[in-house]
Amino acid sequence: VAVTGRTGKRAPRQADIARLAGVSQATVSVVLGGRQSVRLSATTRQRVLDAADELGYQPDPVATRLASARNNMLGLYTFTATFPTDVAHSYYPILVGIEEQAAALGQDLVLFTGASGGGSRARDEAAIRRTRIADGCLFLGRHVPVGPIGRLMESAFPLVFIGRRDELDGRIPHVGADYVAASAAVVGQLVGLGHRRIRYLRERDDALPSTDRERGVLRGAADAGLPVDDMVVHVGPGESCDELVATWRTEGVTAVVVEETDTGAAFTALTRALERAGLSCPDDLSLAVLGTPPSSGPVPSPVTGFEVPRREMGRRAVELLVELVTADPAVDLPVRQELLACAPRAGGTVGPAG
Amino acid sequence: VAVTGRTGKRAPRQADIARLAGVSQATVSVVLGGRQSVRLSATTRQRVLDAADELGYQPDPVATRLASARNNMLGLYTFTATFPTDVAHSYYPILVGIEEQAAALGQDLVLFTGASGGGSRARDEAAIRRTRIADGCLFLGRHVPVGPIGRLMESAFPLVFIGRRDELDGRIPHVGADYVAASAAVVGQLVGLGHRRIRYLRERDDALPSTDRERGVLRGAADAGLPVDDMVVHVGPGESCDELVATWRTEGVTAVVVEETDTGAAFTALTRALERAGLSCPDDLSLAVLGTPPSSGPVPSPVTGFEVPRREMGRRAVELLVELVTADPAVDLPVRQELLACAPRAGGTVGPAG
DNA sequence: CTGAAAGCGCTTACAG
DNA sequence: CTGAAAGCGCTTACAG
């Protein structure tokens, strides 16, 4: 009844193989599926294999998936454009890691672009629901639409977030970076060099990567017995840091730690202000950045701080997702959540306290 | 009989809506599919819509696809890793364009990583066959496996190559760059500045982007009445250009045009040799490059030449592919092949002939 | 105007 | 050891 939809030669199906080999279509499925649970005579098996080979058979992944088997496709859902034009430096290494590991594990990747439209709630819901076409899905973005994601998790659809998440009672599987430890270590390093008056500059946007870094900084300061009350300073989008820098000079601040985000706004604002004030690092002020700045601009490169292991995060997320996908659905796995260490970057912008 | 395969709450199906609205599942399909060919009473339609809304229905993309409708998924098959670590500069803008346009047209993207394995013929065949999971597929790479691609085309599977192709009797749909015209224009520019002794340096690997550039260079030279016999010079991978540069000096060569490829090998070899020889551009020698070099290295930036419109190629390829996918299969479209113009880049490495 | 049926190409219990 | 049947969740002619 249904129409082929296209002219041209049809791709061979299991039914074609069955006809050629003189067996039933179900037998073909068993042979090609490589299921040992069912035992077939070697000759039957070989006849099927030969017929499949002769016809150049390739299974239809859509049908395979609908029949509840696996697809070998992993989804990647980004809450913004997957290939950002201006923040390529941030996502790209993650994508490289994802593709690398997906290829290694024989998984194709579905990029769900639905989110890019910046759509309504209903569109988001539909877009997220659509990830089901894959065996499982990776999610990447600063914020989580808890409704749709919760429903996906309820239905036991395998998913892994890239970046730590604490929504949904902390049950969201993820691979993140240990910003807390890395940030605390940066402060520890400064303290070790004799710095006592340290400021932490961050953007206003509250997302976990930001609050984790702040927690780390405060922990590092507290561990060293430093006063913490006036340590954290915010800078809004588009704001200048000129006044802040001037204030710090009068306060005797010797080191500044700055947040690094996708946009790099805080870092850029700070380095511009330092340049305008004619201050150089580390001579006039020690500077550390909690991540990898897009380019150090006026400040000597590399800037002291740490590396976010983006590529490894991508790779590891794929590994975890494949584990979830291939796991026996009967057994309940513990929620998979991992934080990867951030390697320190020595850099040249930190020196002993004056 | 079949098992759900997963624990957890099932997502609502059309059958659930039908039960709730008191209609048949097929009617639900008609309503939600928005088909005007079938006319339904407004009340029935509304009841179905309400029920769908109440259940939070989202169609199963896999089932939709299997039932021979469209999928809104476009494939992207690269004959190497999709996200190259070292040649990111070359593919990335294409990917950006692809994603941009795919998102604009509501298409998801399937990245087929099968090729990355560097597999056998059979693996290639399987990997390429697998692209059928999408409504159509984009192909990206220097070489074409004509067998599998030919079979795909025979079956009327919509596909578009990025980059000009002349295989399969020139019937492969593609979006390329007009290297011939752009390369001829570069030579024309040099001639206009009085250069008569010009050399063209290229790599040995023969692919269409290389031969098109060479054709353009030779055409530009021929149009200007320049002798063409000793114009083209090859450099192998890893070879130095030191001797070439020395020879050119004795031959009175005043301008060199160099090929630009993914690896940038020829350009890099040449600029290193120029540096070692202590030659500067454009004072000692005019230099033009047929593309956008990864970074100009020792040579002043930007280098005179042209821009490959990679992002536009990606965008346009998606547009063409969607046209093919949505075309009425009954009517035969002409083979879609387009060459995009390369914008000239003035640069600062070309001057009047000494 | 609406519903029952067949089919997309597979997998998987189940019956011989 | 092998085959017939049901089912995955849809779409689409076709019959009422």
Side-chain angles (χ1 to χ4, degrees), chain B residues 129-184:
Chain B
R129 166 71 161 78
R130 210 174 135 73
T131 60
R132 291 179 156 284
I133 196 170
D135 291 333
C137 193
L138 261 23
F139 288 86
L140 181 56
R142 261 177 96 81
H143 299 282
V144 181
V146 290
I149 295 297
R151 277 185 282 279
L152 225 41
M153 287 177 57
E154 269 172 38
S155 69
F157 181 73
L159 58 85
V160 173
F161 270 75
I162 296 176
R164 192 171 86 81
R165 314 262 41 143
D166 61 359
E167 294 88 349
L168 294 169
D169 302 325
R171 299 192 333 271
I172 302 181
H174 61 250
V175 174
D178 193 347
Y179 293 130
V180 175
S183 300

Side-chain angles (χ1 to χ4, degrees), chain B residues 250-274:
Chain B
T250 67
E251 292 174 342
V253 169
T254 59
V256 174
V257 178
V258 61
E259 180 187 32
E260 164 60 18
T261 61
D262 283 357
T263 61
F267 179 79
T268 306
L270 176 59
T271 54
R272 292 228 179 102
L274 291 177

Side-chain angles (χ1 to χ4, degrees), chain A residues 82 99 108-109 111 113 130, chain B residues 71 82 99 108-109 111 130:
Chain A
T82 309
E99 200 223 1
D108 288 324
L109 235 34
L111 265 42
T113 63
R130 212 175 134 70
Chain B
N71 208 353
T82 308
E99 200 222 2
D108 289 323
L109 237 32
L111 265 41
R130 210 174 135 73

